[in-house]
Amino acid sequence: MKNFIFRKSISIVATLFVVVTVTFLLMKFIPGDPFQDEQALPFEIHQSLLKHYGLDESLPKQYFRYVLSVIRWDFGPSFVYKGRSVNQLISQGFPISFLLGAEAIFIALGSGLIIGTVSGMKKNKWVNNLSLLFVILGLSIPNFACATFLQYFLAVKYHIFPVARWGSFIHSILPALSLAALPAAFIAKLVRAQIEDVLQQGYIKTAIAKGLNEKQVMFKHVLRNALLPVVAYLGQITANILVGSFVIEKIYSIPGLGQLFVNSVISRDYTAIMGLTVFYSLLLVSTVLVFDILSTFLDPRLRVSYEY
């Protein structure tokens, strides 16, 4: 386990280094700069702004200065949000995105596990058809289309929920449902397939032959083994929800990191784009690492494989 964590930590550092380098170069190769807008600045003022933020220095010098600032966890000032640093923007937006993501994960896990378990245990044709329809719709409809559909029917037409904005718990329901649709369908499909596979295993037939009732077999053997792959995929599911929040936060006007990132790209706020990219990358790889470690504790077979 120690070797596994060490190798994963090295891969995280290498991944972040690549992300920092690629993001920095992409920002430099994009035409223009944050100070070029529709109303052209005088040449002297434009050059003064470039000098003030160090953008007139050579590319290697800017790169090494930025790498050192990332190591110190200082992403520098925002070019667009005057008087505020990128760290302050992250501190302000991350709690909102975290709450929205946590709610979406809770909905995805709850609905996906229930639908997948019921459809895997029940052989009724209508139950299987209904779960299959849910999986197909959840996997095929993009989250922005789902968000638009929910906005129109549940907010505009029937006035059940607010159309947008962020203020109370009721404002988070539609965005969370939009984010949770695809992961919930994926979890339901995975759980259903795993339950059907586990039910065919020999130890299940042995447990039934020993006299265990259906509930004991289902909860002690079937579900326990069928849920292990779900834990392994939680890191990927969490990453999908975080990435999907970019579009959803923009659609619902939620002042989280997703909308901040979109606005930074539109306004070419270099420091904000690079800082948010590094932060998201660290968050994603750390989440995957945590769930990989959790999977090894739940499944002894993984611990044996990592020892070799």
Side-chain angles (χ1 to χ4, degrees):
M1 180 60 66
K2 292 181 179 179
N3 293 333
F4 167 71
I5 296 177
F6 177 77
R7 293 196 301 267
K8 284 291 184 178
S9 300
I10 295 298
S11 66
I12 288 177
V13 174
T15 300
L16 291 177
F17 177 77
V18 173
V19 168
V20 170
T21 303
V22 173
T23 306
F24 176 85
L25 294 177
L26 288 176
M27 291 301 99
K28 295 304 176 183
F29 290 143
I30 293 178
D33 57 60
F35 311 117
Q36 293 180 346
D37 51 18
E38 295 180 359
Q39 183 178 0
L41 291 172
F43 178 78
E44 294 77 9
I45 297 178
H46 184 259
Q47 293 300 313
S48 178
L49 287 172
L50 295 178
K51 183 176 181 180
H52 175 74
Y53 289 103
L55 298 179
D56 60 336
E57 299 174 347
S58 63
L59 192 63
K61 189 173 182 179
Q62 291 185 51
Y63 172 75
F64 286 113
R65 178 160 51 83
Y66 183 72
V67 170
L68 291 177
S69 66
V70 170
I71 294 175
R72 296 193 302 266
W73 200 248
D74 180 14
F75 297 119
S78 171
F79 294 159
V80 176
Y81 298 91
K82 303 300 182 183
R84 303 175 65 184
S85 66
V86 178
N87 294 67
Q88 291 174 335
L89 297 176
I90 293 176
S91 299
Q92 179 182 349
F94 176 68
I96 297 175
S97 296
F98 178 80
L99 290 176
L100 179 61
E103 185 177 344
I105 292 173
F106 178 79
I107 295 174
L109 278 176
S111 58
L113 290 176
I114 292 174
I115 295 174
T117 302
V118 172
S119 62
M121 293 170 55
K122 301 293 183 179
K123 299 303 181 181
N124 297 342
K125 185 176 181 181
W126 72 270
V127 174
N128 289 328
N129 290 339
L130 187 62
S131 64
L132 182 61
L133 177 63
F134 171 78
V135 170
I136 293 175
L137 291 177
L139 294 178
S140 59
I141 299 178
N143 55 13
F144 64 86
C146 180
T148 305
F149 176 85
L150 293 176
Q151 271 186 327
Y152 175 73
F153 282 97
L154 300 182
V156 176
K157 189 171 184 179
Y158 296 106
H159 307 286
I160 301 176
F161 300 103
V163 177
R165 300 297 177 187
W166 182 267
S168 60
F169 173 73
I170 195 172
H171 289 83
S172 67
I173 295 178
L174 288 186
L177 290 175
S178 303
L179 281 174
L182 189 149
F186 182 81
I187 293 174
K189 178 183 178 182
L190 182 62
V191 172
R192 175 185 175 180
Q194 289 297 318
I195 288 179
E196 292 178 349
D197 180 67
V198 172
L199 287 175
Q200 304 299 322
Q201 300 299 319
Y203 64 88
I204 299 297
K205 299 177 181 179
T206 302
I208 296 175
K210 288 182 178 181
L212 296 178
N213 58 44
E214 183 179 354
K215 290 184 179 180
Q216 290 176 323
V217 173
M218 190 59 61
F219 286 100
K220 289 186 178 181
H221 298 283
V222 177
L223 288 180
R224 181 179 179 182
N225 291 280
L227 294 181
L228 287 176
V230 177
V231 177
Y233 278 102
L234 276 178
Q236 178 182 344
I237 292 170
T238 303
N240 291 336
I241 288 178
L242 290 174
V243 174
S245 67
F246 290 177
V247 179
I248 297 302
E249 289 184 10
K250 189 65 177 179
I251 292 176
Y252 288 99
S253 298
I254 298 175
L257 290 183
Q259 183 172 191
L260 176 63
F261 188 88
V262 174
N263 293 337
S264 300
V265 172
I266 295 174
S267 58
R268 291 181 293 188
D269 192 347
Y270 292 167
T271 52
I273 295 173
M274 292 188 291
L276 289 170
T277 302
V278 174
F279 180 78
Y280 265 112
S281 301
L282 177 61
L283 186 64
L284 294 180
V285 296
S286 300
T287 302
V288 173
L289 173 62
V290 169
F291 283 110
D292 283 346
I293 295 175
L294 181 61
S295 299
T296 59
F297 281 108
L298 296 177
D299 192 350
R301 295 171 297 181
L302 295 177
R303 291 201 295 269
V304 174
S305 63
Y306 287 135
E307 291 177 359
Y308 297 96

